[in-house]
């Protein structure tokens, strides 16, 4: 995969991923999972929906839980630099014959709702209501002590296409997995905010959301969470980990809620602000790219994901047999 | 399993497990593994043998590595309170028609070498050469920062018999796994020094040494070791973990040397000095007894162990199918 | 200070320190401090008194908080091996013309209440009500996650005398501070249960209780506690630390309740079960014995302590000028 | 202090702080301190100078140690987005009648050397030689495991002036200390790369370099460093900490080399990429801004700093009496 030239830039500035709307079938259960168990702070509650933020965030929410008849993902939210960027983004999507419309969202005012070429619903905003800082209200910390939303990871039926499209939007590649046989990309990690990724794409039936990740202080917080989950009725929600990823170098744990939505608890990746940062290439046959320490992931981790509202997943024509744990 | 009455005591006082002699086929490789990678301190070196201690130990050694034509275990060492205890122990073994003889060992003088009823070679001593304290020489710490030898774990073809015999020697049961169907014990953890165990027995072809454990400061030291092993040629030596045991509550990692000798890095079990401490019973069908977080152990962990010099393992007649990872 | 011969033993077996009764002037405030902030579990509550235990303890309580008109210490509790030991202890104290009487205590039945030669009220028992294990009920952990009571530290006007008396009771010296000029001991650490101490004595106006310590999992739990205390109204309760002691090698923090009772949060000292363990000698002029990293303790730490009910402190004739922080 | 409008931008893009040249009087000692003790990796060595990088950096160096007759600071280095930015920066400085010249630097080619209005020597470059990634070569990690250079902190005789000047260069304010009495700023933290700061200014005789900071993985690495320093001859190099800053929320330790150059080991501040991030205001009289847990800093920390080559410090006319430890 050629390194995208670092100085070709679109006319708008996407600052970072911001929030996700998860559709859940049991809002009370989801509240217990995300707020009480994981430790996100509830910032707003209306019948049928819950807004939450992580401990160092000052934006109003990074997670919306919405009661629904079936599980799904409403949209992925991104913050842009200023209002002017929104108009330029609208033009940019329309110029590509992609849907782009203005919607009103609570706590944000005018929001640009678009679809990427595979149908992923993206929402862009410039200003979200700001809340008082609570990162030094240590008595409020609980669960895994989530500090901030870190990234989205999507199954994609066309990883090379996604990399090209998101590169054009200003996302920069940090690491990727190459399929030797075909010369195509198996997976790619792309960032805006200076870490390993704001969004990643993995080959598979897509588009589907593989997981949303939250940054936590240290590996010990993840170990604490495991101990609590294992002994308070959440054992079956532990899917994979703890471990160290080869890709991103992060310490990780994957957990899943009752609707199958996957959350990664994540820490200790690295800074990527250099424009000449060389993307790191991994071979699809190198098992350490997934877990540096060698343990394989379970089959569910390779296969299961959540559908986006209004988008129909397609199978990828790129096949590989993952090394799985039973 | 009935709790052994706490006030029936043998006439001698075994203080703690002390050391193990491992026979290795490549002493230079073993030195790199135990000293450079794991971080034990070499305290003495002669052609064909190496003596090592952990960071807070003042006794001369807790591990002897001995060059041999094939892998095996020379003996398991235990420290007794004083010289008088050695004579009483000799009488006690002879009264049971078990081998007991006096041998001279470097750094210890007179040592009592015996065999338990299954042939496990045990050596008892009262005084070992003492070395200057290095636990505050922090510049010497390396690897996983091993602080002290913690316990032995043995495959046994007769766990109930072993518990009875070692209880008579003053070992106290802390946790055990019961086989519902037969009413027999599947595994048992027994201590002298006030932690969960100095020695444990697990049902299987035995006697064989399953592993030797070293206490380390925190789970983060184990994570550091994993990172180093995974990236400096020792990936294949990682066998199981990291995880939290249900039994003992300890955070653990199992690694194996090139001869198959298994080492557990271990921390955070609990204090067991109360004479009325109630042993904790686990059901053989409860997978959390092995890993609180649910991940199964690999098959090798259930099956492979090291033979003791001069002892012939026998199959156990108690069978169960472990839940294994591939 | 000569090492006490390890094989001279009294006819009874004191297993470990067990509990302390603190008299507090505001029980509701004390409950918030010890239970909600520090994380001890309330096991029983009656008007005027509260019983608490730490997370891995199965005995009913390690701390009794008792409402009183003024702050003080009711007694220090110790557990002995069996009932027979209690009678031998009663004889032993009476043979020394020291007070010894039988009292009834909730959750313990018959308890031996004595005074040491300086008037410290000690209580010995063999069996305390046992509670179900909660050390794997991780959802109950809070605050600094206290695992068990670790030790008492007392101001003593006669440290050499105290060492001699407690040695006769079977306590074993692990570390001590010597005053070069006089040849007398400035401070001494003595254990029964296999750590650096169950009880320590420091020169000063005594007897007074300097602090009670609880063992916590890792230094990060202490850092978490500091963050919470500093941002939820307990800033003034932080007295000293965090730091590493030279003596004991433990990572520590000292906090004080509103009545001035001092609690040490403590982890990572070392195992001391060897009968031939050589006590470590520290020089009174070595500032690293107190804080390995060099920072001095505040004056309050050197001077303030809690009186024992019915005991009148006397000044020590051994003087030294501590190095203090302002 | 008014929040600088987030959308006024200079025509160039400063990416991040990059490196510092420290002039040292004993290069061999400095090598032992920065490479062996702290754990920076030596990437190049010539007579009289040493180049080092931190573990996750791919740029050639973040620290140049240069043998000199007396201690001082050569320059502060910053990376810009591309070559075009350098010319625009040269114009920008010249338009302000400030020195700006092109110099050649090893591993960087053409570099723009300027002085800010107070004489601080700044050097800007677009491309520095890139080295292979070593962040997953875990066997190379040592000392405090420094991951990357994090920020510079300078004494300034005109903090308000500095904030204004660096804001014009695109630096964004994150936190500041206000002097109630005068309405002036006592200190300010400003960033480019998305953390709390790339550069900070504190009122005092300036310009002088107060410290350079390196990001480390967790607080435990800092505790490990303290243990090593305290027991291997570096006790006197520990100046302040460990502690938690109120400002930045970071866990910190300050150490000083033999020439008085101060290094901060630093972790766990927060992400600041939002353009509408509200700067946090602290009151000069709030002692928790310096140490959340309340412990004061020593006098040396408030007073001592390193002079920049060719810049003469001036006293500030803004006075306050810091709360100091002795």
């Amino acid at each position: 995969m050629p390194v995208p030239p670092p100085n070709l830039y679109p006319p708008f500035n996407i600052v970072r991923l911001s929030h996700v709307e998860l559709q859940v079938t049991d809002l009370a259960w989801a509240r217990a999972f995300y707020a009480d168990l994981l430790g996100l702070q509830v910032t707003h509650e209306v019948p049928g929906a819950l807004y939450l933020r992580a401990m160092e965030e000052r934006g109003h929410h990074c997670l919306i839980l919405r009661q629904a008849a079936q599980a799904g993902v409403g949209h992925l939210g991104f913050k842009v630099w200023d209002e002017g960027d929104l108009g330029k983004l609208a033009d940019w999507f329309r110029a590509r014959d992609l849907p782009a419309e203005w919607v009103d969202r609570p706590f944000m005012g005018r929001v640009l709702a678009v679809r990427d070429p595979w149908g992923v619903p993206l929402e862009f905003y410039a200003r979200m209501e700001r809340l008082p800082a609570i990162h030094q209200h240590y008595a409020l910390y609980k669960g895994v002590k989530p500090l901030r939303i870190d990234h989205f990871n999507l199954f994609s039926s066309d990883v090379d296409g996604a990399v090209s499209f998101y590169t054009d939007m200003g996302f920069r590649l940090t690491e990727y997995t190459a399929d030797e046989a075909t010369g195509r990309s198996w997976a790619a990690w792309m960032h805006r905010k200076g870490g390993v990724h704001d969004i990643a794409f993995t080959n598979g039936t897509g588009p589907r959301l593989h997981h949303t990740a939250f940054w936590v202080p240290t590996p010990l917080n993840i170990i604490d969470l495991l101990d609590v989950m294992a002994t308070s009725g959440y054992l079956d929600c532990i899917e994979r980990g703890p471990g160290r990823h080869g890709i991103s170098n992060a310490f990780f744990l994957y957990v899943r809620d009752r609707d199958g939505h996957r959350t990664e608890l994540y820490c200790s990746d690295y800074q990527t602000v250099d424009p000449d940062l060389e993307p790191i290439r991994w071979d699809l046959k190198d098992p350490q790219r997934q877990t540096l320490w060698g343990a394989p992931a379970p089959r569910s981790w390779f296969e299961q994901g959540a559908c986006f509202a209004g988008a129909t997943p397609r199978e990828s024509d790129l096949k590989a047999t993952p090394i799985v744990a039973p």
Side-chain angles (χ1 to χ4, degrees), chain A residues 189-217:
Chain A
W189 285 255
M190 307 188 76
H191 86 97
R192 283 298 303 162
K193 69 181 179 308
V196 169
H197 51 326
D198 288 70
I199 194 164
F201 303 96
T202 302
N203 181 67
T205 300
R208 289 179 300 153
L209 182 61
H210 187 274
H211 66 261
T212 304
F214 295 89
W215 180 276
V216 301

Side-chain angles (χ1 to χ4, degrees), chain A residues 21-25 66 68 70-75 259 261 306-309:
Chain A
E21 182 189 279
L22 299 182
Q23 296 155 346
V24 299
T25 58
R66 193 172 299 282
Q70 67 178 65
V73 181
H75 61 269
D259 287 308
H261 292 301
C307 291
F308 291 101

Side-chain angles (χ1 to χ4, degrees), chain A residues 3-326:
Chain A
V3 181
N7 52 355
L8 282 184
Y9 276 85
F12 44 80
N13 181 352
I14 299 170
V15 173
R16 60 173 176 92
L17 93 157
S18 162
H19 58 279
V20 60
E21 182 189 279
L22 299 182
Q23 296 155 346
V24 299
T25 58
D26 184 341
L27 193 57
W29 192 95
R31 184 196 180 109
F33 186 82
Y34 291 98
D36 300 336
L37 179 66
L38 297 188
L40 292 168
Q41 298 284 315
V42 175
T43 58
H44 191 67
E45 195 166 3
V46 290
L50 212 58
Y51 294 76
L52 305 100
R53 68 163 159 163
M55 300 307 297
E56 74 172 44
E57 294 175 332
R58 299 197 212 160
H60 182 272
H61 56 266
C62 64
L63 176 62
I64 306 167
L65 297 173
R66 193 172 299 282
Q67 177 74 44
Q70 67 178 65
V73 181
H75 61 269
L76 305 180
F78 291 83
K79 183 181 178 74
V80 300
W81 188 266
D82 60 24
E83 283 291 322
D85 289 323
L86 293 178
K88 292 172 195 160
L89 264 163
D91 294 346
W92 195 87
F93 273 83
R94 286 171 185 148
R96 281 157 182 76
D97 280 330
L98 292 167
E101 58 177 356
W102 299 102
V103 294
D104 276 312
R105 296 288 183 215
F107 311 106
M108 283 183 281
R110 195 178 73 147
V111 164
L112 178 68
V114 305
R115 298 240 172 209
D116 80 4
W118 301 271
V120 178
L122 309 174
E123 295 198 0
F124 295 95
Y125 73 92
R127 295 291 173 266
M128 180 189 280
E129 187 173 314
R130 306 288 288 181
L131 297 177
I134 52 169
H135 64 290
Q136 293 185 325
H137 293 208
Y138 280 104
L140 296 178
Y141 282 71
K142 56 187 172 171
V144 75
K145 302 186 178 179
L147 297 182
R148 56 179 180 270
I149 193 168
D150 190 84
H151 63 260
F152 302 127
N153 188 306
L154 279 69
F155 280 121
S156 168
S157 59
D158 177 9
V159 171
D160 283 316
V163 169
S164 173
F165 184 83
Y166 282 83
T167 297
D168 286 348
M169 273 204 283
F171 287 79
R172 291 150 63 190
L173 187 71
T174 57
E175 308 207 18
Y176 64 102
T177 302
D179 183 47
E180 283 284 290
T182 62
R184 289 166 57 187
S185 300
W186 182 265
W189 285 255
M190 307 188 76
H191 86 97
R192 283 298 303 162
K193 69 181 179 308
V196 169
H197 51 326
D198 288 70
I199 194 164
F201 303 96
T202 302
N203 181 67
T205 300
R208 289 179 300 153
L209 182 61
H210 187 274
H211 66 261
T212 304
F214 295 89
W215 180 276
V216 301
T218 76
L220 284 185
N221 300 101
I222 287 175
I223 291 166
D224 287 346
L225 179 66
L226 279 158
D227 288 333
V228 171
M229 291 184 71
T231 57
S232 57
Y234 292 101
L235 181 62
D236 292 343
C237 298
I238 300 171
E239 187 190 35
R240 177 187 172 198
R244 167 91 60 203
H245 285 307
I247 291 171
S248 82
N249 199 40
F251 190 87
F252 69 86
L253 172 71
Y254 293 93
V255 300
R256 298 184 76 185
D257 72 15
R258 215 180 242 186
D259 287 308
H261 292 301
R262 188 181 283 112
T263 297
E264 182 179 16
L265 294 320
Y266 179 95
C267 64
S268 72
D269 69 349
Y270 56 90
Q271 182 181 288
T272 61
V273 295
D274 285 3
D276 49 352
L277 185 85
E278 305 84 348
I280 296 175
R281 181 191 182 285
W282 294 82
D283 195 296
L284 184 55
K285 289 190 289 289
D286 179 355
Q288 286 193 281
R289 75 182 200 285
Q290 292 178 347
T291 311
L292 195 68
W293 309 334
R299 183 168 297 276
S300 63
W301 192 89
F302 288 102
E303 297 181 352
Q304 298 174 19
C307 291
F308 291 101
T312 308
R314 275 185 298 186
E315 239 183 283
S316 168
D317 63 339
L318 187 57
K319 304 291 179 192
T321 308
I323 306 158
V324 301

